[in-house]
Amino acid sequence: NDFEEHGKFFGTVGAKGFYPFNGTFGVGGCIRGAYYFSDFSDTASGTRNGVPFSNELRVKNVWDVDFGVGFQVTVPSGIKLYCGPVARYAELTMLSSADVAGVRFPAGETTLKNKTGWGGFAGVELPLAKGFRLNLEGRYDERWSAGAAILYAY
């Protein structure tokens, strides 16, 4: 089962703020939430202990929210380094059509939540051409993730 879905609608909203103590140090905060308005489904089938099975799995009510506080330092050449803790909560509802021995989800509805509510993030923002910046960020909360973005300030 790979829950391959395409064209599903979701929404994310967030806010962030930053307070510079001086030209070098500052602190900021952010909050973000997301909700997936569509359900995801897949069918898993096979043989377990010589008995064939087919099980429809459906995921619905997927949402998450996180809040972080970041500490930033600006070093020479306008390079910004930042890091801080992040709190996260995520939840979804898993529906399984049948009991299958060895499958983690029993028949019916099960609510799943994230294993840990805390993590951290760190990043660097590098100036490029006039008004453009490259942002590289890594984060850990249950697993590692990383991203990059080109920013333009006007």
Side-chain angles (χ1 to χ4, degrees):
N1 56 354
D2 59 7
F3 290 99
E4 187 174 314
E5 297 281 355
H6 303 284
K8 297 292 187 175
F9 184 71
F10 72 97
T12 298
V13 64
K16 65 180 181 175
F18 179 72
Y19 179 77
F21 295 125
N22 53 41
T24 303
F25 297 102
V27 65
C30 61
I31 187 166
R32 183 205 55 86
Y35 184 79
Y36 292 79
F37 297 99
S38 301
D39 294 349
F40 304 90
S41 62
D42 198 10
T43 301
S45 59
T47 305
R48 185 81 171 167
N49 297 328
V51 178
F53 72 88
S54 180
N55 188 13
E56 182 181 346
L57 300 171
R58 199 170 100 203
V59 176
K60 66 178 190 172
N61 298 328
V62 180
W63 64 275
D64 67 278
V65 63
D66 54 22
F67 170 76
V69 176
F71 304 95
Q72 178 179 294
V73 60
T74 303
V75 297
S77 300
I79 298 170
K80 297 177 182 178
L81 306 171
Y82 61 92
C83 66
V86 64
R88 181 169 188 261
Y89 184 81
E91 186 175 299
L92 63 84
T93 303
M94 174 68 79
L95 291 99
S96 179
S97 65
D99 280 320
V100 178
V103 173
R104 179 178 160 185
F105 310 107
E109 195 171 286
T110 304
T111 299
L112 301 174
K113 301 173 184 176
N114 53 316
K115 294 177 186 171
T116 180
W118 293 98
F121 64 95
V124 60
E125 197 173 286
L126 307 164
L128 299 173
K130 183 176 175 133
F132 287 93
R133 300 181 72 78
L134 171 64
N135 180 247
L136 305 169
E137 183 174 301
R139 177 175 166 158
Y140 182 79
D141 61 9
E142 291 188 48
R143 65 181 60 114
W144 287 101
S145 63
I150 301 290
L151 309 172
Y152 178 72
Y154 52 91

